[in-house]
Amino acid sequence: MNKLLCLISIIALIFVNYSFAQDVAVVYDAKIENGGGLGIAGGVAGAKGLADLIVEKLIDHKVAAEIVDAEALVEYMDNNPNGIFVLTQGNTPDTIFQNKGKDDLIYSWLREGGIGGFIGDYPLYYYWDFNAGARVTAAGAGQQKIFGVTVTNANVAAVSPTDHGKEFIPSLGKWTSNRPVGLAALRNNNFEFESYADDGNNADPVAYRTEDMEGWFINFHTSCCGTVIPDNEQVATEYAELISNRFSDGLSVDPIGKVSVVWGQLKSVR
């Protein structure tokens, strides 16, 4: 009986201790790009290291986080309709996106209140086909299927932190993106958005949502092909600041479906 009461007490403490913030699923799958990433420097070590650092930095901000693969991501999204995921390899896994629009899990999840984050090359330009073991090119149609319009462009933009950026991402500095989001495209299509760094016309990082989205999509340091994003330590620091300062407040997770994530993270930090 005493052992049972002790176990119940421990579980209760787990829920209390982790009720302060929304769990974040940091997506890294060794099968995607053979463990590497698009737009992420350092190959496999760089991509895996970035995911590990984001988890570490989020925990430093008292935000519970854990790495999940593409299959576990689906379970997380099903159990956490107001959750947050961060894709770290420049590809979207086919478990949530296959360029099908309303039939893609990411489409409905964003509209119901989920928050999706992306690092790497052009968001939703590629998805990873696990059966073929290769990326599939959706091109601009990927964003059109999910957001109704393509918002990313290939401009080379030297961006500076905005007031939102200074508030939510204190460590963010000037940098150059070549996969920014066009502010005119957002305005002309009635998106709600927050620019964290821009040049007046192009923004990156930026969070946006369509009129029918309850959630947000976070475009974060997206670049490729000669334009280098900040190093992993800096990107992870900035992302943790943004999530903890802007997107974790007021979000809650039903404890059902949450225990495995919390318990797994608890074991990793003991």
Side-chain angles (χ1 to χ4, degrees):
M1 183 65 177
N2 288 337
K3 289 183 178 179
L4 177 59
L5 288 174
C6 182
L7 178 60
I8 291 171
S9 297
I10 290 171
I11 292 173
L13 284 171
I14 289 171
F15 287 132
V16 169
N17 289 337
Y18 281 87
S19 65
F20 49 68
Q22 168 68 34
D23 278 337
V24 178
V26 179
V27 185
Y28 176 83
D29 195 308
K31 294 180 181 178
I32 296 176
E33 293 291 334
N34 297 314
L38 290 173
I40 308 299
V44 175
K48 181 62 167 61
L50 175 58
D52 288 337
L53 278 169
I54 293 173
V55 169
E56 176 185 316
K57 301 293 185 181
L58 285 168
I59 292 172
D60 288 344
H61 283 273
K62 301 189 183 303
V63 176
E66 187 165 280
I67 292 176
V68 301
D69 63 17
E71 292 294 334
L73 174 61
V74 174
E75 181 180 358
Y76 171 85
M77 292 168 71
D78 287 342
N79 288 323
N80 298 276
N82 295 310
I84 302 171
F85 72 65
V86 178
L87 302 176
T88 64
Q89 291 172 276
N91 284 271
T92 306
D94 68 6
T95 52
I96 68 167
F97 173 72
Q98 295 183 33
N99 200 26
K100 295 179 178 180
K102 293 182 179 181
D103 291 332
D104 287 319
L105 177 57
I106 190 174
Y107 181 98
S108 57
W109 194 71
L110 291 172
R111 279 156 181 79
E112 292 168 4
I115 297 170
F118 186 93
I119 307 168
D121 199 355
Y122 194 125
L124 300 174
Y125 197 94
Y126 303 105
Y127 67 87
W128 189 261
D129 183 332
F130 285 94
N131 287 330
R135 76 176 86 118
V136 177
T137 302
Q143 291 185 12
Q144 292 165 25
K145 290 283 181 63
I146 303 304
F147 306 122
V149 64
T150 301
V151 298
T152 298
N153 59 53
N155 295 338
V156 177
V159 299
S160 299
T162 64
D163 288 341
H164 278 313
K166 293 172 185 176
E167 177 182 3
F168 298 128
I169 317 174
S171 66
L172 180 65
K174 296 180 180 179
W175 79 291
T176 300
S177 170
N178 70 0
R179 294 290 189 271
V181 170
L183 294 176
L186 297 177
R187 295 189 183 103
N188 293 342
N189 290 280
N190 299 314
F191 281 68
E192 181 180 356
F193 67 90
E194 293 180 357
S195 170
Y196 306 114
D198 64 53
D199 64 0
N201 298 303
N202 307 281
D204 184 6
V206 58
Y208 54 81
R209 59 182 175 185
T210 61
E211 291 181 297
D212 64 345
M213 279 172 54
E214 293 293 325
W216 294 84
F217 189 82
I218 305 170
N219 184 101
F220 204 92
H221 286 309
T222 48
S223 279
C224 183
C225 314
T227 297
V228 179
I229 68 174
D231 63 43
N232 284 355
E233 180 80 20
Q234 181 65 25
V235 170
T237 296
E238 293 175 13
Y239 226 133
E241 289 176 346
L242 177 61
I243 289 175
S244 64
N245 292 333
R246 173 64 180 87
F247 291 108
S248 65
D249 290 346
L251 296 173
S252 62
V253 180
D254 186 339
I256 296 173
K258 182 181 177 183
V259 178
S260 63
V261 174
V262 173
W263 186 252
Q265 192 59 59
L266 188 66
K267 289 189 294 183
S268 72
V269 298
R270 280 193 305 190

